[in-house]
Amino acid sequence: MKNILSVIILLFLSCKKANNLEYKVSTEKTANLVKQQKSSKEDFNNFFVKFSNDSIFQKDRVKDTLYLHNLVETDKFEVLKFTKEDISYMDFRDDTLAYKKEYDKYRVETVIKEDSTNYSMYGIDNGILLHYVFMRDKQNNEWYLTSIHDYSN
């Protein structure tokens, strides 16, 4: 009887130890996954879809100071600073079809680099020329709109 009781206690303790080991392994895997997700770089295309469709997300992903480089005269620019609170929602959703518009036609070109992206609008016979500059924040690997260059005439 004493042997049976000893075996039951031994089995109970070994099961408990195995459960603790499984929990520890599971916790370590979760911690590694969270760490991996934080260190992985945000894909610009996924970011831009959300940036184009979600005004709250867009406001969050504009740097605290946004610079607008504005063409005043030929070869003369002014640089204006705006806070994110000064910026209204920018709608990029229909840009891919803008070349079909009756007025203010333009084509869009996106040049994606590792840590910066230029999203440009080139007018078709109308003088529109805009460049939106997005930079990847090196601390959290997230994309932010940092400046707008308006060379339209």
Side-chain angles (χ1 to χ4, degrees):
M1 181 74 172
K2 204 173 190 183
N3 285 341
I4 295 174
L5 186 59
S6 297
V7 170
I8 292 174
I9 291 173
L10 185 63
L11 285 173
F12 177 74
L13 290 176
S14 66
C15 288
K16 188 174 180 182
K17 194 172 187 178
N19 284 342
N20 285 342
L21 184 61
E22 286 177 18
Y23 176 75
K24 186 176 178 183
V25 170
S26 175
T27 304
E28 287 174 0
K29 283 182 181 178
T30 303
N32 286 338
L33 183 60
V34 168
K35 189 176 180 182
Q36 201 174 38
Q37 287 174 343
K38 283 186 176 182
S39 67
S40 66
K41 293 183 177 180
E42 178 179 45
D43 177 65
F44 179 80
N45 292 320
N46 293 336
F47 154 78
F48 193 71
V49 167
K50 192 167 183 181
F51 187 83
S52 300
N53 290 301
D54 185 340
S55 62
I56 294 169
F57 180 79
Q58 188 178 100
K59 194 83 137 180
D60 187 48
R61 290 303 188 87
V62 171
K63 276 295 187 183
D64 292 332
T65 302
L66 181 71
Y67 295 94
L68 173 63
H69 301 256
N70 200 13
L71 180 65
V72 179
E73 296 174 17
T74 304
D75 296 333
K76 186 176 179 185
F77 296 93
E78 67 180 356
V79 179
L80 305 171
K81 293 181 184 181
F82 294 96
T83 64
K84 67 169 59 182
E85 288 74 30
D86 297 331
I87 305 300
S88 59
Y89 175 69
M90 296 168 273
D91 191 355
F92 297 97
R93 293 175 296 176
D94 295 329
D95 284 354
T96 56
L97 301 175
Y99 70 94
K100 293 182 176 182
K101 293 167 59 174
E102 188 173 343
Y103 300 102
D104 297 329
K105 293 180 184 184
Y106 59 90
R107 66 180 174 79
V108 175
E109 182 179 295
T110 307
V111 177
I112 303 172
K113 297 181 181 173
E114 186 174 340
D115 292 327
S116 67
T117 297
N118 286 332
Y119 181 85
S120 303
M121 299 174 179
Y122 297 98
I124 301 171
D125 298 327
N126 59 20
I128 294 173
L129 180 55
L130 287 163
H131 301 290
Y132 294 85
V133 179
F134 296 89
M135 301 293 288
R136 184 191 309 275
D137 185 289
K138 295 192 187 305
Q139 290 179 343
N140 61 14
N141 284 318
E142 295 177 337
W143 287 99
Y144 290 87
L145 176 62
T146 57
S147 65
I148 303 170
H149 301 257
D150 187 354
Y151 304 127
S152 304
N153 56 20

